[in-house]
Amino acid sequence: MDQGVCFCPEFLASRKMHDYPSRKLQLARAVFKGDLPANDYIGDIVFSGILSRQGERWQNFRENPEDCTDVMILSRAMLLEKGYRPEGPGQLRKLLEENGGHINKAAAWDLPLDSAGDMAILLDDATAQGFADGEKAFAAYCRNHDLGFVNRADPVFLGFEYFACGLIREGYRQLKQVIAMIRDTGASKVLVLSAQACYMLTIFAGKLELERDFEVMYLPDILGELQADQPAYVYGGSFNLRYLCNGDKLNEQFKNQREVPVKRSAEYIPLLEGDRRVNKLTIWQRPVGPEYSCFGTDSEALAAIKDMAVRDIRKSGADCVVSYEPAAMAVLKEELKDKKVVSYLELL
């Protein structure tokens, strides 16, 4: 069970085996079976994972990538039911109350409307804030491609944070409301701009048996090739690379006309000498952290996880970073102030 430990950001941050996914779940299983009592020590360990899917068995052995994350969420719910009281759920509820049901105070986007059309837009909270600099470029893209929406682009809270905190019933209700809201527009298609939104409305909604009668379209799936004004390090993020396994697709989006492998790079996260992209996106690309609003995780561990990812980017030597993950934008811009950091939307 430990052959993926060298990829696990939580373990690499602490060097403690209880921070490896399988060991967290061994503790949760012991509590579930009654072999160990539920206590704060075990609860703190189980709740400390960032759910990035890094270091899980499927990365080496191609087992079902959903299982470990699902059981981790269920384990957290179980510990809450058994009396564990972490700070996270309360912090999440307080944040949502302060922001009127949202995880931030991002503004609506000004996108073309088409009341007679058949496509809705879902602008999730993280995208509305993290990719705000890409709003004008995306709006121009929509106008140039005669793309309009039947609804306004108001930010929407998807509910993933509820599940990450073990609040499954509240998360279920929130995602159900989001699906109902899209259905009420009458559109047969909904366009999403983030991998988390795509995952939540398709794979995750399916596991919750939440039916939808509309097609979900993820913008990168319908885009052609993209190019920055200089060779770029492309950051895919956990939801793209490990939840949706979109690495090959994003590599093609920034397809190099010429590329040479860099011998000094790591085997699983290779660097390249290329004219468009200086790295190959794989399921092993390190995350800069939990790419959702995370509560209760040790700040020193999060700092160490961030530093490992930032070192990888700096090692590439690129002066430009392109991100597909809105939740990572604030960290990338803060840690890479000497580089140009843009979202994929800004390249449209």
Side-chain angles (χ1 to χ4, degrees), residues 272-309:
L272 306 167
E273 292 180 5
D275 56 314
R276 294 188 180 182
R277 173 174 41 81
V278 301
N279 64 307
K280 181 178 180 180
L281 290 103
T282 69
I283 59 176
W284 293 280
Q285 185 184 62
R286 299 184 206 269
V288 297
E291 288 162 342
Y292 57 93
S293 295
C294 188
F295 306 92
T297 300
D298 179 73
S299 59
E300 291 185 4
L302 292 181
I305 290 169
K306 173 196 66 181
D307 289 346
M308 286 185 284

PDB file of all heavy atoms in Angstrom, residues 272-309:
ATOM      1  N   LEU A 272      10.608  19.926 -20.295  1.00  0.00           N
ATOM      2  CA  LEU A 272      10.893  19.891 -21.725  1.00  0.00           C
ATOM      3  C   LEU A 272      11.543  21.197 -22.171  1.00  0.00           C
ATOM      4  O   LEU A 272      11.327  22.245 -21.559  1.00  0.00           O
ATOM      5  CB  LEU A 272       9.595  19.708 -22.529  1.00  0.00           C
ATOM      6  CG  LEU A 272       8.688  18.530 -22.177  1.00  0.00           C
ATOM      7  CD1 LEU A 272       7.332  18.710 -22.849  1.00  0.00           C
ATOM      8  CD2 LEU A 272       9.328  17.216 -22.595  1.00  0.00           C
ATOM      9  N   GLU A 273      12.284  21.117 -23.228  1.00  0.00           N
ATOM     10  CA  GLU A 273      12.647  22.300 -23.996  1.00  0.00           C
ATOM     11  C   GLU A 273      11.654  22.361 -25.142  1.00  0.00           C
ATOM     12  O   GLU A 273      11.702  21.557 -26.061  1.00  0.00           O
ATOM     13  CB  GLU A 273      14.078  22.197 -24.514  1.00  0.00           C
ATOM     14  CG  GLU A 273      15.142  22.252 -23.426  1.00  0.00           C
ATOM     15  CD  GLU A 273      16.550  22.143 -23.990  1.00  0.00           C
ATOM     16  OE1 GLU A 273      16.673  22.131 -25.234  1.00  0.00           O
ATOM     17  OE2 GLU A 273      17.501  22.045 -23.206  1.00  0.00           O
ATOM     18  N   GLY A 274      10.705  23.288 -25.050  1.00  0.00           N
ATOM     19  CA  GLY A 274       9.656  23.352 -26.059  1.00  0.00           C
ATOM     20  C   GLY A 274       9.335  24.780 -26.430  1.00  0.00           C
ATOM     21  O   GLY A 274       9.672  25.720 -25.712  1.00  0.00           O
ATOM     22  N   ASP A 275       8.654  24.943 -27.559  1.00  0.00           N
ATOM     23  CA  ASP A 275       8.337  26.283 -28.032  1.00  0.00           C
ATOM     24  C   ASP A 275       7.050  26.826 -27.422  1.00  0.00           C
ATOM     25  O   ASP A 275       6.818  28.028 -27.422  1.00  0.00           O
ATOM     26  CB  ASP A 275       8.241  26.299 -29.561  1.00  0.00           C
ATOM     27  CG  ASP A 275       7.232  25.302 -30.090  1.00  0.00           C
ATOM     28  OD1 ASP A 275       7.246  24.153 -29.633  1.00  0.00           O
ATOM     29  OD2 ASP A 275       6.425  25.667 -30.958  1.00  0.00           O
ATOM     30  N   ARG A 276       6.183  25.944 -26.881  1.00  0.00           N
ATOM     31  CA  ARG A 276       4.937  26.401 -26.262  1.00  0.00           C
ATOM     32  C   ARG A 276       4.826  25.992 -24.789  1.00  0.00           C
ATOM     33  O   ARG A 276       4.323  26.738 -23.975  1.00  0.00           O
ATOM     34  CB  ARG A 276       3.733  25.833 -27.019  1.00  0.00           C
ATOM     35  CG  ARG A 276       3.586  26.355 -28.431  1.00  0.00           C
ATOM     36  CD  ARG A 276       2.269  25.895 -29.034  1.00  0.00           C
ATOM     37  NE  ARG A 276       2.099  26.376 -30.401  1.00  0.00           N
ATOM     38  CZ  ARG A 276       1.020  26.161 -31.142  1.00  0.00           C
ATOM     39  NH1 ARG A 276       0.011  25.474 -30.637  1.00  0.00           N
ATOM     40  NH2 ARG A 276       0.949  26.640 -32.372  1.00  0.00           N
ATOM     41  N   ARG A 277       5.294  24.784 -24.489  1.00  0.00           N
ATOM     42  CA  ARG A 277       5.126  24.220 -23.137  1.00  0.00           C
ATOM     43  C   ARG A 277       6.432  23.593 -22.703  1.00  0.00           C
ATOM     44  O   ARG A 277       7.035  22.829 -23.440  1.00  0.00           O
ATOM     45  CB  ARG A 277       3.992  23.179 -23.168  1.00  0.00           C
ATOM     46  CG  ARG A 277       3.785  22.383 -21.925  1.00  0.00           C
ATOM     47  CD  ARG A 277       2.548  21.494 -22.042  1.00  0.00           C
ATOM     48  NE  ARG A 277       2.384  20.861 -23.329  1.00  0.00           N
ATOM     49  CZ  ARG A 277       3.016  19.760 -23.722  1.00  0.00           C
ATOM     50  NH1 ARG A 277       3.881  19.169 -22.904  1.00  0.00           N
ATOM     51  NH2 ARG A 277       2.798  19.231 -24.914  1.00  0.00           N
ATOM     52  N   VAL A 278       6.863  23.903 -21.461  1.00  0.00           N
ATOM     53  CA  VAL A 278       8.156  23.408 -20.992  1.00  0.00           C
ATOM     54  C   VAL A 278       8.009  22.256 -19.994  1.00  0.00           C
ATOM     55  O   VAL A 278       8.972  21.868 -19.344  1.00  0.00           O
ATOM     56  CB  VAL A 278       8.983  24.539 -20.344  1.00  0.00           C
ATOM     57  CG1 VAL A 278       9.224  25.656 -21.336  1.00  0.00           C
ATOM     58  CG2 VAL A 278       8.289  25.069 -19.075  1.00  0.00           C
ATOM     59  N   ASN A 279       6.815  21.719 -19.887  1.00  0.00           N
ATOM     60  CA  ASN A 279       6.597  20.563 -19.010  1.00  0.00           C
ATOM     61  C   ASN A 279       5.535  19.665 -19.624  1.00  0.00           C
ATOM     62  O   ASN A 279       4.721  20.115 -20.438  1.00  0.00           O
ATOM     63  CB  ASN A 279       6.151  21.004 -17.611  1.00  0.00           C
ATOM     64  CG  ASN A 279       4.806  21.722 -17.615  1.00  0.00           C
ATOM     65  OD1 ASN A 279       4.601  22.686 -18.358  1.00  0.00           O
ATOM     66  ND2 ASN A 279       3.893  21.265 -16.783  1.00  0.00           N
ATOM     67  N   LYS A 280       5.561  18.399 -19.237  1.00  0.00           N
ATOM     68  CA  LYS A 280       4.530  17.459 -19.650  1.00  0.00           C
ATOM     69  C   LYS A 280       3.587  17.250 -18.479  1.00  0.00           C
ATOM     70  O   LYS A 280       4.016  16.905 -17.376  1.00  0.00           O
ATOM     71  CB  LYS A 280       5.142  16.126 -20.069  1.00  0.00           C
ATOM     72  CG  LYS A 280       4.114  15.105 -20.541  1.00  0.00           C
ATOM     73  CD  LYS A 280       4.780  13.808 -20.990  1.00  0.00           C
ATOM     74  CE  LYS A 280       3.734  12.799 -21.460  1.00  0.00           C
ATOM     75  NZ  LYS A 280       4.361  11.527 -21.904  1.00  0.00           N
ATOM     76  N   LEU A 281       2.299  17.470 -18.712  1.00  0.00           N
ATOM     77  CA  LEU A 281       1.321  17.314 -17.634  1.00  0.00           C
ATOM     78  C   LEU A 281       1.012  15.842 -17.419  1.00  0.00           C
ATOM     79  O   LEU A 281       0.640  15.129 -18.362  1.00  0.00           O
ATOM     80  CB  LEU A 281       0.039  18.082 -17.960  1.00  0.00           C
ATOM     81  CG  LEU A 281       0.205  19.597 -17.921  1.00  0.00           C
ATOM     82  CD1 LEU A 281       0.296  20.159 -19.324  1.00  0.00           C
ATOM     83  CD2 LEU A 281      -0.922  20.246 -17.155  1.00  0.00           C
ATOM     84  N   THR A 282       1.166  15.386 -16.189  1.00  0.00           N
ATOM     85  CA  THR A 282       0.900  14.000 -15.815  1.00  0.00           C
ATOM     86  C   THR A 282       0.094  13.986 -14.520  1.00  0.00           C
ATOM     87  O   THR A 282      -0.072  15.020 -13.866  1.00  0.00           O
ATOM     88  CB  THR A 282       2.215  13.226 -15.590  1.00  0.00           C
ATOM     89  OG1 THR A 282       2.848  13.738 -14.396  1.00  0.00           O
ATOM     90  CG2 THR A 282       3.164  13.367 -16.776  1.00  0.00           C
ATOM     91  N   ILE A 283      -0.365  12.802 -14.119  1.00  0.00           N
ATOM     92  CA  ILE A 283      -1.112  12.690 -12.863  1.00  0.00           C
ATOM     93  C   ILE A 283      -0.208  12.882 -11.653  1.00  0.00           C
ATOM     94  O   ILE A 283      -0.697  12.949 -10.521  1.00  0.00           O
ATOM     95  CB  ILE A 283      -1.843  11.335 -12.762  1.00  0.00           C
ATOM     96  CG1 ILE A 283      -0.849  10.176 -12.851  1.00  0.00           C
ATOM     97  CG2 ILE A 283      -2.925  11.217 -13.809  1.00  0.00           C
ATOM     98  CD1 ILE A 283      -1.482   8.804 -12.656  1.00  0.00           C
ATOM     99  N   TRP A 284       1.099  13.017 -11.878  1.00  0.00           N
ATOM    100  CA  TRP A 284       2.035  13.185 -10.774  1.00  0.00           C
ATOM    101  C   TRP A 284       2.453  14.641 -10.563  1.00  0.00           C
ATOM    102  O   TRP A 284       3.235  14.922  -9.665  1.00  0.00           O
ATOM    103  CB  TRP A 284       3.274  12.311 -11.001  1.00  0.00           C
ATOM    104  CG  TRP A 284       2.958  10.847 -10.919  1.00  0.00           C
ATOM    105  CD1 TRP A 284       2.807  10.086  -9.794  1.00  0.00           C
ATOM    106  CD2 TRP A 284       2.750   9.955 -12.013  1.00  0.00           C
ATOM    107  NE1 TRP A 284       2.509   8.786 -10.109  1.00  0.00           N
ATOM    108  CE2 TRP A 284       2.465   8.674 -11.481  1.00  0.00           C
ATOM    109  CE3 TRP A 284       2.763  10.112 -13.400  1.00  0.00           C
ATOM    110  CZ2 TRP A 284       2.210   7.564 -12.273  1.00  0.00           C
ATOM    111  CZ3 TRP A 284       2.499   9.009 -14.193  1.00  0.00           C
ATOM    112  CH2 TRP A 284       2.228   7.759 -13.629  1.00  0.00           C
ATOM    113  N   GLN A 285       1.970  15.565 -11.387  1.00  0.00           N
ATOM    114  CA  GLN A 285       2.323  16.969 -11.163  1.00  0.00           C
ATOM    115  C   GLN A 285       1.887  17.372  -9.751  1.00  0.00           C
ATOM    116  O   GLN A 285       0.751  17.147  -9.344  1.00  0.00           O
ATOM    117  CB  GLN A 285       1.633  17.875 -12.182  1.00  0.00           C
ATOM    118  CG  GLN A 285       2.062  19.333 -12.081  1.00  0.00           C
ATOM    119  CD  GLN A 285       1.285  20.238 -13.038  1.00  0.00           C
ATOM    120  OE1 GLN A 285       0.070  20.354 -12.936  1.00  0.00           O
ATOM    121  NE2 GLN A 285       2.000  20.860 -13.965  1.00  0.00           N
ATOM    122  N   ARG A 286       2.806  17.992  -9.001  1.00  0.00           N
ATOM    123  CA  ARG A 286       2.496  18.311  -7.608  1.00  0.00           C
ATOM    124  C   ARG A 286       1.436  19.418  -7.509  1.00  0.00           C
ATOM    125  O   ARG A 286       1.486  20.399  -8.250  1.00  0.00           O
ATOM    126  CB  ARG A 286       3.749  18.784  -6.876  1.00  0.00           C
ATOM    127  CG  ARG A 286       4.886  17.774  -6.814  1.00  0.00           C
ATOM    128  CD  ARG A 286       6.003  18.353  -5.965  1.00  0.00           C
ATOM    129  NE  ARG A 286       7.301  17.815  -6.303  1.00  0.00           N
ATOM    130  CZ  ARG A 286       7.844  16.738  -5.741  1.00  0.00           C
ATOM    131  NH1 ARG A 286       7.170  16.089  -4.819  1.00  0.00           N
ATOM    132  NH2 ARG A 286       9.043  16.332  -6.096  1.00  0.00           N
ATOM    133  N   PRO A 287       0.501  19.297  -6.572  1.00  0.00           N
ATOM    134  CA  PRO A 287      -0.470  20.375  -6.341  1.00  0.00           C
ATOM    135  C   PRO A 287       0.146  21.460  -5.465  1.00  0.00           C
ATOM    136  O   PRO A 287       0.990  21.184  -4.608  1.00  0.00           O
ATOM    137  CB  PRO A 287      -1.603  19.661  -5.602  1.00  0.00           C
ATOM    138  CG  PRO A 287      -0.903  18.585  -4.818  1.00  0.00           C
ATOM    139  CD  PRO A 287       0.250  18.126  -5.702  1.00  0.00           C
ATOM    140  N   VAL A 288      -0.284  22.707  -5.644  1.00  0.00           N
ATOM    141  CA  VAL A 288       0.204  23.777  -4.777  1.00  0.00           C
ATOM    142  C   VAL A 288      -0.510  23.757  -3.428  1.00  0.00           C
ATOM    143  O   VAL A 288      -0.139  24.475  -2.512  1.00  0.00           O
ATOM    144  CB  VAL A 288       0.030  25.167  -5.422  1.00  0.00           C
ATOM    145  CG1 VAL A 288       0.848  25.271  -6.690  1.00  0.00           C
ATOM    146  CG2 VAL A 288      -1.431  25.473  -5.686  1.00  0.00           C
ATOM    147  N   GLY A 289      -1.529  22.911  -3.323  1.00  0.00           N
ATOM    148  CA  GLY A 289      -2.269  22.791  -2.068  1.00  0.00           C
ATOM    149  C   GLY A 289      -3.631  22.195  -2.333  1.00  0.00           C
ATOM    150  O   GLY A 289      -3.887  21.672  -3.416  1.00  0.00           O
ATOM    151  N   PRO A 290      -4.530  22.255  -1.354  1.00  0.00           N
ATOM    152  CA  PRO A 290      -5.909  21.789  -1.578  1.00  0.00           C
ATOM    153  C   PRO A 290      -6.621  22.785  -2.476  1.00  0.00           C
ATOM    154  O   PRO A 290      -6.713  23.966  -2.148  1.00  0.00           O
ATOM    155  CB  PRO A 290      -6.505  21.777  -0.161  1.00  0.00           C
ATOM    156  CG  PRO A 290      -5.706  22.786   0.591  1.00  0.00           C
ATOM    157  CD  PRO A 290      -4.329  22.760   0.009  1.00  0.00           C
ATOM    158  N   GLU A 291      -7.092  22.353  -3.629  1.00  0.00           N
ATOM    159  CA  GLU A 291      -7.646  23.301  -4.589  1.00  0.00           C
ATOM    160  C   GLU A 291      -9.158  23.456  -4.421  1.00  0.00           C
ATOM    161  O   GLU A 291      -9.959  23.279  -5.327  1.00  0.00           O
ATOM    162  CB  GLU A 291      -7.209  22.895  -5.995  1.00  0.00           C
ATOM    163  CG  GLU A 291      -5.722  23.207  -6.139  1.00  0.00           C
ATOM    164  CD  GLU A 291      -5.015  22.506  -7.262  1.00  0.00           C
ATOM    165  OE1 GLU A 291      -5.529  21.503  -7.782  1.00  0.00           O
ATOM    166  OE2 GLU A 291      -3.916  22.956  -7.611  1.00  0.00           O
ATOM    167  N   TYR A 292      -9.472  23.792  -3.176  1.00  0.00           N
ATOM    168  CA  TYR A 292     -10.813  24.178  -2.741  1.00  0.00           C
ATOM    169  C   TYR A 292     -10.574  24.898  -1.419  1.00  0.00           C
ATOM    170  O   TYR A 292      -9.444  24.909  -0.900  1.00  0.00           O
ATOM    171  CB  TYR A 292     -11.711  22.950  -2.566  1.00  0.00           C
ATOM    172  CG  TYR A 292     -11.171  21.920  -1.605  1.00  0.00           C
ATOM    173  CD1 TYR A 292     -11.529  21.942  -0.260  1.00  0.00           C
ATOM    174  CD2 TYR A 292     -10.289  20.924  -2.029  1.00  0.00           C
ATOM    175  CE1 TYR A 292     -11.014  21.003   0.638  1.00  0.00           C
ATOM    176  CE2 TYR A 292      -9.776  19.991  -1.142  1.00  0.00           C
ATOM    177  CZ  TYR A 292     -10.152  20.039   0.183  1.00  0.00           C
ATOM    178  OH  TYR A 292      -9.632  19.123   1.062  1.00  0.00           O
ATOM    179  N   SER A 293     -11.583  25.531  -0.856  1.00  0.00           N
ATOM    180  CA  SER A 293     -11.403  26.213   0.429  1.00  0.00           C
ATOM    181  C   SER A 293     -11.303  25.166   1.524  1.00  0.00           C
ATOM    182  O   SER A 293     -12.276  24.480   1.833  1.00  0.00           O
ATOM    183  CB  SER A 293     -12.576  27.161   0.695  1.00  0.00           C
ATOM    184  OG  SER A 293     -12.596  28.203  -0.256  1.00  0.00           O
ATOM    185  N   CYS A 294     -10.113  25.031   2.090  1.00  0.00           N
ATOM    186  CA  CYS A 294      -9.805  23.958   3.038  1.00  0.00           C
ATOM    187  C   CYS A 294      -9.723  24.530   4.449  1.00  0.00           C
ATOM    188  O   CYS A 294      -9.193  25.619   4.653  1.00  0.00           O
ATOM    189  CB  CYS A 294      -8.481  23.302   2.650  1.00  0.00           C
ATOM    190  SG  CYS A 294      -8.073  21.825   3.585  1.00  0.00           S
ATOM    191  N   PHE A 295     -10.277  23.794   5.410  1.00  0.00           N
ATOM    192  CA  PHE A 295     -10.339  24.272   6.782  1.00  0.00           C
ATOM    193  C   PHE A 295      -9.710  23.242   7.723  1.00  0.00           C
ATOM    194  O   PHE A 295      -9.892  22.049   7.555  1.00  0.00           O
ATOM    195  CB  PHE A 295     -11.792  24.516   7.206  1.00  0.00           C
ATOM    196  CG  PHE A 295     -12.534  25.433   6.274  1.00  0.00           C
ATOM    197  CD1 PHE A 295     -13.257  24.923   5.205  1.00  0.00           C
ATOM    198  CD2 PHE A 295     -12.495  26.805   6.460  1.00  0.00           C
ATOM    199  CE1 PHE A 295     -13.935  25.756   4.340  1.00  0.00           C
ATOM    200  CE2 PHE A 295     -13.166  27.653   5.593  1.00  0.00           C
ATOM    201  CZ  PHE A 295     -13.886  27.128   4.534  1.00  0.00           C
ATOM    202  N   GLY A 296      -8.959  23.742   8.704  1.00  0.00           N
ATOM    203  CA  GLY A 296      -8.446  22.877   9.752  1.00  0.00           C
ATOM    204  C   GLY A 296      -7.158  22.162   9.451  1.00  0.00           C
ATOM    205  O   GLY A 296      -6.663  21.407  10.282  1.00  0.00           O
ATOM    206  N   THR A 297      -6.579  22.354   8.277  1.00  0.00           N
ATOM    207  CA  THR A 297      -5.320  21.689   7.936  1.00  0.00           C
ATOM    208  C   THR A 297      -4.150  22.516   8.455  1.00  0.00           C
ATOM    209  O   THR A 297      -4.166  23.746   8.390  1.00  0.00           O
ATOM    210  CB  THR A 297      -5.207  21.505   6.416  1.00  0.00           C
ATOM    211  OG1 THR A 297      -6.306  20.715   5.968  1.00  0.00           O
ATOM    212  CG2 THR A 297      -3.922  20.783   6.040  1.00  0.00           C
ATOM    213  N   ASP A 298      -3.135  21.843   8.959  1.00  0.00           N
ATOM    214  CA  ASP A 298      -1.983  22.498   9.568  1.00  0.00           C
ATOM    215  C   ASP A 298      -1.305  23.455   8.583  1.00  0.00           C
ATOM    216  O   ASP A 298      -0.978  23.078   7.460  1.00  0.00           O
ATOM    217  CB  ASP A 298      -0.981  21.439  10.026  1.00  0.00           C
ATOM    218  CG  ASP A 298       0.257  22.051  10.642  1.00  0.00           C
ATOM    219  OD1 ASP A 298       0.153  22.560  11.780  1.00  0.00           O
ATOM    220  OD2 ASP A 298       1.316  22.032   9.988  1.00  0.00           O
ATOM    221  N   SER A 299      -1.099  24.691   9.014  1.00  0.00           N
ATOM    222  CA  SER A 299      -0.546  25.712   8.120  1.00  0.00           C
ATOM    223  C   SER A 299       0.880  25.393   7.696  1.00  0.00           C
ATOM    224  O   SER A 299       1.289  25.693   6.562  1.00  0.00           O
ATOM    225  CB  SER A 299      -0.586  27.088   8.796  1.00  0.00           C
ATOM    226  OG  SER A 299       0.155  27.086  10.006  1.00  0.00           O
ATOM    227  N   GLU A 300       1.674  24.769   8.581  1.00  0.00           N
ATOM    228  CA  GLU A 300       3.043  24.418   8.223  1.00  0.00           C
ATOM    229  C   GLU A 300       3.066  23.337   7.148  1.00  0.00           C
ATOM    230  O   GLU A 300       3.897  23.381   6.231  1.00  0.00           O
ATOM    231  CB  GLU A 300       3.809  23.953   9.457  1.00  0.00           C
ATOM    232  CG  GLU A 300       4.082  25.059  10.474  1.00  0.00           C
ATOM    233  CD  GLU A 300       4.948  24.580  11.618  1.00  0.00           C
ATOM    234  OE1 GLU A 300       5.403  23.413  11.587  1.00  0.00           O
ATOM    235  OE2 GLU A 300       5.172  25.376  12.545  1.00  0.00           O
ATOM    236  N   ALA A 301       2.145  22.373   7.240  1.00  0.00           N
ATOM    237  CA  ALA A 301       2.066  21.322   6.219  1.00  0.00           C
ATOM    238  C   ALA A 301       1.663  21.922   4.875  1.00  0.00           C
ATOM    239  O   ALA A 301       2.228  21.564   3.826  1.00  0.00           O
ATOM    240  CB  ALA A 301       1.067  20.249   6.641  1.00  0.00           C
ATOM    241  N   LEU A 302       0.687  22.829   4.891  1.00  0.00           N
ATOM    242  CA  LEU A 302       0.261  23.461   3.642  1.00  0.00           C
ATOM    243  C   LEU A 302       1.393  24.273   3.024  1.00  0.00           C
ATOM    244  O   LEU A 302       1.564  24.285   1.797  1.00  0.00           O
ATOM    245  CB  LEU A 302      -0.952  24.356   3.894  1.00  0.00           C
ATOM    246  CG  LEU A 302      -2.252  23.650   4.273  1.00  0.00           C
ATOM    247  CD1 LEU A 302      -3.368  24.669   4.478  1.00  0.00           C
ATOM    248  CD2 LEU A 302      -2.663  22.635   3.217  1.00  0.00           C
ATOM    249  N   ALA A 303       2.176  24.939   3.862  1.00  0.00           N
ATOM    250  CA  ALA A 303       3.310  25.716   3.353  1.00  0.00           C
ATOM    251  C   ALA A 303       4.351  24.811   2.705  1.00  0.00           C
ATOM    252  O   ALA A 303       4.918  25.138   1.652  1.00  0.00           O
ATOM    253  CB  ALA A 303       3.935  26.530   4.484  1.00  0.00           C
ATOM    254  N   ALA A 304       4.611  23.655   3.317  1.00  0.00           N
ATOM    255  CA  ALA A 304       5.590  22.714   2.758  1.00  0.00           C
ATOM    256  C   ALA A 304       5.096  22.141   1.431  1.00  0.00           C
ATOM    257  O   ALA A 304       5.874  21.981   0.477  1.00  0.00           O
ATOM    258  CB  ALA A 304       5.854  21.578   3.755  1.00  0.00           C
ATOM    259  N   ILE A 305       3.805  21.818   1.347  1.00  0.00           N
ATOM    260  CA  ILE A 305       3.217  21.300   0.101  1.00  0.00           C
ATOM    261  C   ILE A 305       3.339  22.338  -1.009  1.00  0.00           C
ATOM    262  O   ILE A 305       3.721  22.032  -2.149  1.00  0.00           O
ATOM    263  CB  ILE A 305       1.751  20.904   0.337  1.00  0.00           C
ATOM    264  CG1 ILE A 305       1.680  19.652   1.225  1.00  0.00           C
ATOM    265  CG2 ILE A 305       1.021  20.668  -0.981  1.00  0.00           C
ATOM    266  CD1 ILE A 305       0.292  19.334   1.741  1.00  0.00           C
ATOM    267  N   LYS A 306       3.023  23.583  -0.668  1.00  0.00           N
ATOM    268  CA  LYS A 306       3.125  24.677  -1.638  1.00  0.00           C
ATOM    269  C   LYS A 306       4.566  24.842  -2.118  1.00  0.00           C
ATOM    270  O   LYS A 306       4.818  24.983  -3.325  1.00  0.00           O
ATOM    271  CB  LYS A 306       2.643  25.963  -0.982  1.00  0.00           C
ATOM    272  CG  LYS A 306       2.846  27.223  -1.801  1.00  0.00           C
ATOM    273  CD  LYS A 306       2.715  28.462  -0.931  1.00  0.00           C
ATOM    274  CE  LYS A 306       3.845  28.521   0.101  1.00  0.00           C
ATOM    275  NZ  LYS A 306       3.740  29.693   0.983  1.00  0.00           N
ATOM    276  N   ASP A 307       5.503  24.810  -1.196  1.00  0.00           N
ATOM    277  CA  ASP A 307       6.913  25.038  -1.556  1.00  0.00           C
ATOM    278  C   ASP A 307       7.430  23.969  -2.518  1.00  0.00           C
ATOM    279  O   ASP A 307       8.217  24.278  -3.421  1.00  0.00           O
ATOM    280  CB  ASP A 307       7.781  25.063  -0.294  1.00  0.00           C
ATOM    281  CG  ASP A 307       7.547  26.311   0.553  1.00  0.00           C
ATOM    282  OD1 ASP A 307       6.933  27.266   0.039  1.00  0.00           O
ATOM    283  OD2 ASP A 307       7.961  26.308   1.735  1.00  0.00           O
ATOM    284  N   MET A 308       6.995  22.711  -2.333  1.00  0.00           N
ATOM    285  CA  MET A 308       7.436  21.647  -3.235  1.00  0.00           C
ATOM    286  C   MET A 308       6.963  21.906  -4.659  1.00  0.00           C
ATOM    287  O   MET A 308       7.718  21.736  -5.627  1.00  0.00           O
ATOM    288  CB  MET A 308       6.931  20.288  -2.738  1.00  0.00           C
ATOM    289  CG  MET A 308       7.653  19.757  -1.517  1.00  0.00           C
ATOM    290  SD  MET A 308       7.122  18.090  -1.031  1.00  0.00           S
ATOM    291  CE  MET A 308       5.540  18.444  -0.260  1.00  0.00           C
ATOM    292  N   ALA A 309       5.704  22.318  -4.814  1.00  0.00           N
ATOM    293  CA  ALA A 309       5.167  22.584  -6.144  1.00  0.00           C
ATOM    294  C   ALA A 309       5.846  23.795  -6.782  1.00  0.00           C
ATOM    295  O   ALA A 309       6.160  23.782  -7.979  1.00  0.00           O
ATOM    296  CB  ALA A 309       3.654  22.800  -6.058  1.00  0.00           C
TER     297      ALA A 309
END
